[in-house]
Amino acid sequence: MKKEKSVKSKKSNKVMTSILNLVKRWAFPVILCAIIVVGIVFVMKYQGKQEEEALTEIKGYEGDGQPIVLENDALKLTLDTTTTQFELLVKETGKIWYSNPVNASNDPIALGADKELLQSTLNVTHSVQSGLETVYNNYKYSVSKGLYEIQYEPGSNSVRIDYSLGDIEREYIIPPVCTVAVYEEWCSKMERKDVLLLEEYYKKYDINKLGKKDNKEELLANYPILENEVCYVLRETTKGKVRVTLEGIFEKAGYTLEQYAEDKLLSNATNTSDKPVFGASIIYSLVDDELVVEVPVDSLIYKKDTPIVGVTPLPYFGAGSTEDEGFLFVPEGGGSLIRFNNGKTTMPNYAANVYGWDYGLFRDSVVHSTKTYFNTFGIANGEDSFLCILDDGSSYASIQADISGKNNSYNFVNAKYAVATREKYDVGQIANTDIYVYLEELPNEVYTQRYRFVNSNSYVDMAKEYQEYLLEEYGDVLVKKTDSSTPVVFEIVGAVDKVRQIMGVPVSRPLKLTTYKEAAEMIQQLKADGIDNMSVKYSGWCNGGVRQEFLEKIKLISALGNKKDMQKLSDTASQLGVNLYLNGITQYAHNSNLLDGFFSYSDAAKRISKERAELYEYSAVTYAAREGGKSYYLLHTDIAHQMIDNLAAFAKKYKTGVSFQDIGKELASDFYKKDISHRQDVMDEQVEKLKAIKDKFEALTADIANPEIIADTKNWQAKVKEH
């Protein structure tokens, strides 16, 4: 009996073993197949669906061609509604400024494309995935085709022009074809006279009851729906003016752009094009003695595969001809002049980024780095001049200028705004062209330019006009200095970074230059030498030296002294009436790791590609990143704000001023996945952050500071090195 049970048990074990082996043998293939099936279902269900993009509505001018006049006590703007160009009269002087050169179409130097640019009031630059850029000027691609609308309320001092730009013909929002049932439904919503007009221009087709002149094959090719339905088709001979009237009738009945997009699919005869179409708007307003020009970012409409990367409003406003005498004012250094018609046609055109390069964007080389700290430009022509001040959105702008004799006969200066910023992917192993990724969500901004007119051709008077603007905008915080002696600023360096060998490993360590005690003695000596109105900035005093580490915790450098020595330095400066500023880096992390509280994957800013914003020093010889040089990181915006607070709190503890080495000088976007900070956002946030801490200190200071940040922050002292 026991023997039989033993045999059965062995058989049972063999069966179980076989089953387990079978399961092991087929488990992986089954799981793999299941994953593949789920993947296919996912792709079919989700990936196969392309995200629908907003349809760009094609604008159409329907006015009577009469000019529109905006006027106040100081200015009079007359807009030509057939060209959307204008002239602006300054009543005090009688000077007339033109949006475009008067004889642009007869320029003897300009070629056809350049003549079109001269007649444009708005240029749109778009790109494709490979990075190739194309400029669409609103004269050729909009105005000459009548693809624009003008919004104006009689009596107001503002006018808006909406442009559709593209290599297209005017489309009319009316059904090209519709079934009998749909046609009758629309007619039921219209007045009798409108129905009668429709009957004149829509023809009823029954494929089984065609007339002698009807071509059955052609009709079916153009309107496949006729094979199963009796339909009404818009006659091809219908004139443009009639189509405009029909458009109004259908709009009144409730016909929409979305319905038109669906109805177009029923007709193969409708002219369609894969060429890109863009939307852009510009607003002109007279505000006291200023002409205010605005370009709302939400008016910039494009498809994802052809993003708008730049927009230039009024590219040739006030341009000087070869017969004019004057100059272009550009904000280079403390301000520079480019004389009209100076003959330097072999030189490149002037171009500079307002507030410098955006360090949130990648660059693999630096030939030259353009930077301007003033958000303004201007033109002097004859006895008069104007100053254009970039207001909202100035941080996205670059100033560009050129003289006559190159592409045309005019001297001009303008501002180009970056829109959908981009970043290049390195895909050299799989493609022989560059691939770019573009910013998907645009900031909610309005690019604003203010034109102020000066009754003088002197650049000094133009500078005074800018000063007056700053006083008007920020007069409550800009206080005139009453110093009896010349102010002097000294910078003392505590320690620099030097690579040393520690147990055979190269390690960066601070090299002592000026201890806390020595700094106090220097201040005493300078004071004794008769320098009364003195400020001192102390750099390289904490966290490793000049190439300062992450400021999560502020640590004094032991080689320079201890806390008592630092306190004595502060007390000495205070007793002598010297402003002492502890300088720090709050936007970047040098030589930092987890031991310093820095984790690059969470604390570093992100690029558009979502990679960490790792930065490099560049060689003046090769222009590329220095070989063997240490990289550093741009901090996530929120982390940078925390570093500002940490530095401010430490300075308050020792009763000194605080100095920001980078704030006010450099602006960087942060494309963090769910917390994007655009360049303008960062500037505004820096201003608010500085306002929040200003009451804690006697003074704030920086190496170089942008006027908007200086003016917006009370008690701010700027040591401007370059001006």
Side-chain angles (χ1 to χ4, degrees), residues 541-543 548 550-555 582 584-586 596-597 635 638-654 658 660 689 693 696-697:
W541 57 274
C542 73
N543 291 46
Q548 172 207 290
F550 192 52
L551 285 180
E552 176 68 24
K553 292 183 179 180
I554 298 179
K555 296 169 288 186
L582 298 182
I585 299 171
T586 57
D596 304 305
L635 293 177
D638 292 343
I639 302 295
H641 291 168
Q642 183 182 332
M643 299 306 103
I644 293 175
D645 291 336
N646 291 351
L647 180 60
F650 190 92
K652 182 181 180 181
K653 177 181 176 182
Y654 284 90
V658 61
F660 298 101
K689 176 59 67 175
I693 66 173
K696 302 177 182 179
F697 303 96

Side-chain angles (χ1 to χ4, degrees), residues 216-235:
K216 183 176 180 179
E217 292 182 0
E218 183 178 343
L219 284 170
L220 287 174
N222 290 337
Y223 311 103
I225 192 174
L226 286 174
E227 188 170 355
N228 302 312
E229 297 274 0
V230 177
C231 296
Y232 282 88
V233 176
L234 181 67
R235 296 179 186 272

